[in-house]
Amino acid sequence: MSEPAFFILTALVDAPRHGYGIVAETTELSQGRVRLKIGSLYGALDRLVGDGLVEVDREEAWQGRLRRYYRLTERGRHALDAEARRLAANAHLASARLANSGRPVTGESS
């Protein structure tokens, strides 16, 4: 799962959101590491909808335009949980190996 997809799914855990809301929530959740542009957001949403991980919740008129809201499906919730567990296991493995390497980690992270 790509990092943008991971954060899009995470942004939809607590409530349905429209495109701008997903962009803002993704930026906040990732502490600015993931900054989605509208074009890439809708490409990712189309893939997530096609995979059954996200679905359209509703459409509302707002300032003369339709605003589409998306929500996480049950399948999306399970996929996000599995990915979060996978990432946690990978991070744990790397941290344990670094701790056992006998060399301190110094310098700045990127």
Side-chain angles (χ1 to χ4, degrees):
M1 179 180 297
S2 70
E3 190 171 34
F6 178 84
F7 280 106
I8 290 168
L9 295 178
T10 303
L12 295 173
V13 166
D14 59 343
R17 296 185 194 284
H18 55 77
Y20 178 77
I22 294 169
V23 167
E25 187 73 5
T26 296
T27 300
E28 183 178 322
L29 289 168
S30 70
Q31 299 176 339
R33 289 186 314 275
V34 175
R35 293 182 180 272
L36 295 169
K37 301 222 182 312
I38 291 299
S40 59
L41 168 69
Y42 286 106
L45 283 171
D46 285 346
R47 285 187 294 280
L48 293 169
V49 167
D51 292 342
L53 305 180
V54 169
E55 63 189 6
V56 174
D57 181 67
R58 66 186 183 280
E59 291 182 338
E60 292 179 357
W62 185 75
Q63 295 184 348
R65 297 177 62 185
L66 277 181
R67 183 178 264 186
R68 183 173 288 166
Y69 286 74
Y70 294 87
R71 72 172 167 229
L72 190 63
T73 64
E74 198 59 33
R75 183 174 178 179
R77 186 174 293 280
H78 288 293
L80 179 59
D81 180 62
E83 183 67 2
R85 290 173 188 269
R86 185 187 74 78
L87 291 171
N90 289 348
H92 178 74
L93 173 67
S95 294
R97 292 203 61 165
L98 283 166
N100 292 329
S101 71
R103 292 181 48 205
V105 177
T106 60
E108 292 183 23
S109 63
S110 50

